[in-house]
Amino acid sequence: MELKPTKGIGNLIFGMFQKMVYQTIGIPDRIKEDEDDSDNIYLEYNKRRLRLTIYKNEDNRLGYLYSENSELTFNDLKIIDGDIEWVKKEVFGNLVKNWEIEEYDFWSTHSDNKNWITLNVEFGRVKSVEIGAPWKNEEEYDWPDQWEVI
């Protein structure tokens, strides 16, 4: 699975409608609605180690991805379980120059808001990656024009 910053992962492209996601990778193992935020639907794919967020208030479009898949790559280099400094320099070095780091008790996040990428780190290794759809402006996402309601 290839990470495509501001675009998606593999064949999953931001802006796809929920039905298109199902047509592309099948029915998820679990579907959950957020009790605190009724605008989100979460689709979980166990074997793919992938969680997708569908934005109900955006016509049920794919807007956010979370992955722990060990086969996830960017520029043909694996991301998951890589040393965080190596991943930032060698994998994302041409794309991201400044990472925002937030420290927690025993883990940290390394984020690039320009490309909506977050690397979740434990024990100095990347454990998961989160990416989100890009914004056109402060109020609307920059969805692709080619998607039509199915």
Side-chain angles (χ1 to χ4, degrees):
M1 276 192 333
E2 181 73 10
L3 178 75
K4 300 172 185 171
T6 72
K7 303 283 186 238
I9 291 178
N11 294 331
L12 295 171
I13 306 300
F14 292 126
M16 288 178 116
F17 295 98
Q18 186 174 355
K19 189 172 184 178
M20 295 170 78
V21 170
Y22 294 167
Q23 292 171 342
T24 302
I25 63 171
I27 302 298
D29 295 294
R30 185 166 78 154
I31 301 171
K32 184 170 175 33
E33 289 196 41
D34 190 334
E35 295 172 8
D36 298 325
D37 183 355
S38 62
D39 289 335
N40 292 337
I41 300 172
Y42 301 101
L43 311 178
E44 188 173 77
Y45 293 85
N46 295 336
K47 288 182 183 175
R48 294 176 186 268
R49 309 232 1 129
L50 184 64
R51 192 172 301 123
L52 313 178
T53 304
I54 302 294
Y55 296 157
K56 288 174 26 179
N57 60 349
E58 292 287 335
D59 297 324
N60 288 346
R61 290 179 184 257
L62 174 61
Y64 201 80
L65 299 149
Y66 170 94
S67 179
E68 292 183 6
N69 190 312
S70 62
E71 298 303 314
L72 184 64
T73 61
F74 180 67
N75 290 330
D76 295 321
L77 298 170
K78 289 189 177 184
I79 301 168
I80 302 301
D81 206 36
D83 174 80
I84 183 57
E85 296 307 321
W86 180 86
V87 170
K88 289 192 310 187
K89 182 179 178 185
E90 301 298 328
V91 179
F92 292 105
N94 291 333
L95 179 69
V96 181
K97 300 301 178 204
N98 295 308
W99 293 90
E100 183 178 315
I101 301 170
E102 291 188 36
E103 297 284 340
Y104 300 92
D105 289 336
F106 290 101
W107 57 282
S108 63
T109 60
H110 298 243
S111 302
D112 170 46
N113 292 336
K114 178 182 175 193
N115 295 291
W116 287 98
I117 299 171
T118 298
L119 307 175
N120 297 307
V121 179
E122 290 185 55
F123 302 105
R125 317 285 294 177
V126 176
K127 294 301 177 187
S128 61
V129 176
E130 300 177 47
I131 64 170
W135 289 88
K136 185 181 292 185
N137 55 50
E138 291 183 16
E139 297 181 11
E140 61 184 327
Y141 291 98
D142 191 10
W143 301 122
D145 293 331
Q146 72 267 26
W147 304 128
E148 295 178 12
V149 179
I150 297 177

